[in-house]
Amino acid sequence: MPFPRFRDRTTKVDVDFPAKVDATQISEEVLPSIEGDSEEEEAPVILENTSWKRHIWDTWGHPDKRHVKVIFKLDITLLALSSISTFIRYLDRINLSYAYVNGMKEDLGIVGNQLNYANTGYSIAGMVFGFPWAILMVKMNSKWFVVMVELFWIILTFSFSAVKTPTQMVALRTLVGAFESAHYPALSFILGTYYTSGELARRNVILQSSTSIGSFFGGYVASGTYTGLNGVNGRAGWRWVFIIDGVISLGIIVPQILFFADRLSNRKPDLIMSAADIAYLKERKPDQKEDKYHFTLKDFFTAAFSLEVWAFWGFGIFQDLASLDSSAYLLWLKAWNKIKPGSYTYSQIDHYGSILYAVQTVIALSSGWISDTLCRGRRWPPIVVAGTVTFVVCIILGSTPVYPENRAFRFFLYLNTTWSLATAGLYWAWAQEFFVDNLKMRAITTGGIDIGSFAAEVIANNIWYKTSKMPKITAGYYISGVNGALYSLDALALGLWEAHKKRRHGQ
């Protein structure tokens, strides 16, 4: 007896069925295809932006107005609040350096390398808490995790205004390190759950630029506070710096409680994003459709023996060491007052110090746009360039007089010591993209990057970058230069390996 023909709508292949077959007897191999096709029809359609305007900003010229609206809402909440809170974090973080050159050293009787000890405590705390934070940020609601660590560091910022001894300074700085070490990795991780590879680098360098902008404005806050409040209510100007920074920090908490986002895989409809918006975002990022973060010891052992993971942890180490010599800049300006008394006032030191961070911001933003556009999403070329510039600049710093007759050239060199630091946002974004199919490895890698940088600081700060020796740290300049070269080589090797993997998989 002839069989009727049934056309499967998914595979477009003719399938034969008996003439008198019950619907419940249809092959299980056919039903999933039909059901799956129905689901695909209901899934949001993802359109590609081919306009030249995307090179300026990825939503400009996009054909899907709904896409533009959803990404805009994401940018003005998640990206904006992440950037503002990072700005404030670095405003709080840099205030110790400005307080030190604005009278704190003399008022507390800080001698020798006690400032180094404070920074070492900060780094050790970051090392100890790195992986526990990495696990906690995906075990609890990521939004409340970020708010929690911010509240603790704000309390510690206020506490600095009452510090009376170098020992208290070291203890508080160590506690600040414990909580601040959770902040940037968490924000970078959350951004990576929402944005695609064509969007992430530009947003990550905006986040990274917030660190330099915070440091930039830190100089003006310190200068204005010292000038206007020094001696008010019997408090020295540098103590008021911590109070003002703490008040500014409190201003971001309420907007974050209302509008900040959990990671995409765990997000529920809220004031900003509807269920349809979240579904659209997850369709763009299939890895975020399930919240799968169940860590085992095997996951950490796998990461520990992965050369790819170590390449990213290496970025944290090499970039940090390549950038440590930039801390000599403020102390170089202050030291001129011993060579030629009256060279710079406190306000001038604060203002000139801010220029360093303005340069860093320009480099960071430029590298992100170049990576997303001219480099077509490749992250390694700007990193290679930055490491090479760092190598050249630091070798010259180490081989020329610290106090030359013509200060302009050395001033120029110091302003170019942050190239490696400025491109840090690229390797943070790269880590989210590289492990896009392995969420647990992504979290472990992200948490470990800062651990590497903190470990490097603990060792290097107390040997080659001693405060008591700055700015005469010849060995430190050379070490920063060598690590600039290693930073470049790490990026080049990982970039070539990534290209090889893509060719092997036909991508």
Side-chain angles (χ1 to χ4, degrees):
M1 178 178 178
F3 293 95
R5 311 288 289 177
F6 174 83
R7 180 172 291 275
D8 179 275
R9 294 183 295 121
T10 302
T11 62
K12 310 301 182 187
V13 175
D14 291 331
V15 183
D16 291 335
F17 289 99
K20 297 181 179 180
V21 66
D22 186 84
T24 59
Q25 296 176 316
I26 295 178
S27 167
E28 293 181 358
E29 295 180 2
V30 176
L31 274 176
S33 298
I34 300 172
E35 294 170 357
D37 187 54
S38 175
E39 290 178 1
E40 287 180 7
E41 289 180 351
E42 297 175 0
V45 177
I46 309 298
L47 300 180
E48 183 180 355
N49 186 2
T50 58
S51 170
W52 64 268
K53 296 177 183 177
R54 74 186 188 281
H55 296 302
I56 303 173
W57 192 248
D58 50 74
T59 57
W60 290 8
H62 200 286
D64 186 348
K65 300 304 179 186
R66 180 190 175 189
H67 168 90
V68 174
K69 182 179 178 181
V70 171
I71 300 302
F72 176 73
K73 289 196 291 185
L74 200 56
D75 286 342
I76 63 171
T77 52
L78 177 60
L79 178 61
L81 290 173
S82 295
S83 299
I84 293 170
S85 66
T86 302
F87 163 85
I88 291 172
R89 173 200 167 192
Y90 271 78
L91 190 67
D92 293 345
R93 183 177 181 179
I94 198 67
N95 55 21
L96 181 60
S97 297
Y98 284 116
Y100 184 82
V101 297
N102 284 349
M104 183 183 192
K105 176 184 178 182
E106 292 77 12
D107 289 354
L108 297 188
I110 299 173
V111 296
N113 297 307
Q114 287 176 324
L115 181 62
N116 276 98
Y117 301 153
N119 289 327
T120 298
Y122 178 99
S123 299
I124 291 175
M127 290 170 55
V128 171
F129 285 91
F131 283 132
W133 287 143
I135 296 173
L136 190 58
M137 74 180 178
V138 295
K139 285 296 185 182
M140 66 182 288
N141 184 301
S142 299
K143 165 185 174 175
W144 296 114
F145 175 78
V146 171
V147 171
M148 176 192 73
V149 297
E150 287 180 0
L151 281 172
F152 276 109
W153 102 52
I154 290 171
I155 293 170
L156 293 169
T157 298
F158 279 119
S159 300
F160 259 106
S161 67
V163 70
K164 302 203 182 297
T165 67
T167 302
Q168 292 175 0
M169 175 192 71
V170 173
L172 282 176
R173 187 66 168 174
T174 301
L175 289 173
V176 168
F179 290 102
E180 281 196 6
S181 64
H183 191 252
Y184 191 94
L187 295 182
S188 184
F189 180 83
I190 295 170
L191 288 178
T193 68
Y194 284 91
Y195 293 107
T196 64
S197 59
E199 303 162 342
L200 185 58
R202 271 174 278 194
R203 288 164 175 83
N204 237 52
V205 296
I206 288 174
L207 182 67
Q208 175 66 25
S209 297
S210 302
T211 67
S212 52
I213 295 172
S215 301
F216 173 82
F217 278 99
Y220 291 96
V221 171
S223 175
T225 302
Y226 186 87
T227 302
L229 294 176
N230 187 37
V232 173
N233 291 334
R235 290 181 177 272
W238 65 265
R239 293 186 184 275
W240 279 108
V241 170
F242 292 106
I243 295 174
I244 297 299
D245 285 348
V247 171
I248 294 172
S249 301
L250 280 175
I252 191 62
I253 292 297
V254 174
Q256 282 189 302
I257 290 173
L258 293 175
F259 304 118
F260 199 65
D262 193 4
R263 60 190 177 277
L264 179 55
S265 60
N266 198 46
R267 186 163 186 173
K268 306 294 187 294
D270 51 33
L271 292 172
I272 303 299
M273 293 292 178
S274 65
D277 293 336
I278 295 171
Y280 176 75
L281 290 168
K282 288 184 176 181
E283 194 65 29
R284 295 173 357 116
K285 300 276 291 182
D287 59 297
Q288 293 300 310
K289 290 185 176 181
E290 293 184 51
D291 199 51
K292 301 177 293 185
Y293 297 99
H294 303 290
F295 294 95
T296 65
L297 280 177
K298 182 181 177 181
D299 297 320
F300 287 93
F301 277 116
T302 301
F305 289 97
S306 168
L307 290 178
E308 294 172 341
V309 171
W310 276 100
F312 284 102
W313 291 351
F315 283 136
I317 296 170
F318 301 141
Q319 175 267 304
D320 193 86
L321 291 175
S323 308
L324 279 180
D325 61 330
S326 64
S327 60
Y329 174 52
L330 280 176
L331 297 173
W332 179 71
L333 292 173
K334 184 172 184 176
W336 270 105
N337 288 324
K338 293 182 179 179
I339 306 300
K340 292 184 179 180
S343 292
Y344 301 107
T345 65
Y346 283 156
S347 293
Q348 287 176 322
I349 292 172
D350 293 338
H351 291 161
Y352 292 148
S354 295
I355 299 174
L356 177 71
Y357 305 109
V359 173
Q360 180 184 333
T361 301
V362 172
I363 297 169
L365 293 174
S366 301
S367 67
W369 260 256
I370 290 171
S371 176
D372 267 354
T373 56
L374 297 180
C375 297
R376 299 181 180 180
R378 291 188 295 271
R379 310 307 178 202
W380 62 268
I383 295 176
V384 169
V385 171
T388 303
V389 173
T390 299
F391 171 75
V392 173
V393 166
C394 293
I395 295 302
I396 297 174
L397 279 171
S399 58
T400 54
V402 176
Y403 303 108
E405 285 297 322
N406 184 354
R407 306 178 197 179
F409 182 60
R410 195 166 185 87
F411 185 86
F412 169 80
L413 290 174
Y414 277 124
L415 292 182
N416 282 278
T417 54
T418 59
W419 275 75
S420 294
L421 179 58
T423 53
L426 292 180
Y427 65 73
W428 283 97
W430 197 0
Q432 313 311 312
E433 298 162 351
F434 195 93
F435 298 105
V436 67
D437 296 322
N438 192 329
L439 302 182
K440 291 188 287 186
M441 196 65 70
R442 186 196 305 179
I444 293 170
T445 302
T446 301
I449 289 174
D450 262 353
I451 293 177
S453 66
F454 287 137
E457 277 194 35
V458 167
I459 297 170
N461 258 333
N462 295 294
I463 301 176
W464 301 292
Y465 300 91
K466 292 181 178 179
T467 308
S468 59
K469 302 293 184 183
M470 285 193 183
K472 293 182 178 181
I473 50 167
T474 302
Y477 295 127
Y478 287 132
I479 288 170
S480 290
V482 169
N483 278 276
L486 292 173
Y487 185 55
S488 291
L489 292 173
D490 189 2
L492 180 61
L494 187 60
L496 293 175
W497 172 246
E498 182 180 44
H500 168 72
K501 286 179 65 177
K502 287 181 177 179
R503 284 195 303 270
R504 191 172 63 188
H505 292 91
Q507 297 178 352

